[in-house]
Structures are given as structure tokens and as C-alpha cells.
Amino acid sequence: MDAVLTLFALLTGLLTGALFHALNIPIPAPPELPGLMGIVGIYVGYRLVEMLGISFDLLSALGLSG
């Protein structure tokens, strides 16, 4: 199922990118490789911390949780 969702996400992105280019609208994503790699880094870092089971409840630490 993940492969199918990934394929649909890729196709949606391709169609959206093509539409943005056809309409001469700037893409809402970093247009160069370093910016794209930053987004990939955020995703990998998120998953790595999730996999390691590291967590910190910021709202609780700030006394804002109910």
C-alpha cells in the first residue's frame, strides 16, 4: 500500500509541477537541489528521532499543556 501511495504522490507532484510551469506560476518549493535536500534532511531527521524513541513534550515543559 505504501508503494501505491508513494506512486500517487509522485504522480500528483508531477502533474502539479507541470501545471505550475504551464501557468507560469513559481513552485511552492525550493527550486534548487540544496533547498530540496534540506527538506529531505528534515524528513530523515524526524524519522530517525521517531525510530530512536526520543521525545520531549515542549508544551508540558513550558507549562502550557492541559
Side-chain angles (χ1 to χ4, degrees), residues 3-62:
V4 173
L5 290 176
T6 301
L7 181 60
F8 281 140
L10 177 62
L11 289 173
T12 301
L14 288 171
L15 291 172
T16 303
L19 181 63
F20 275 44
H21 181 73
L23 297 175
N24 200 23
I25 300 171
I27 59 172
E32 298 188 19
L33 186 58
L36 182 60
M37 293 311 297
I39 292 173
V40 171
I42 290 170
Y43 175 78
V44 171
Y46 181 91
R47 290 297 179 185
L48 180 63
V49 168
E50 181 181 53
M51 182 183 76
L52 294 173
I54 300 169
S55 67
F56 178 76
D57 189 346
L58 180 60
L59 292 178
S60 180
L62 294 173

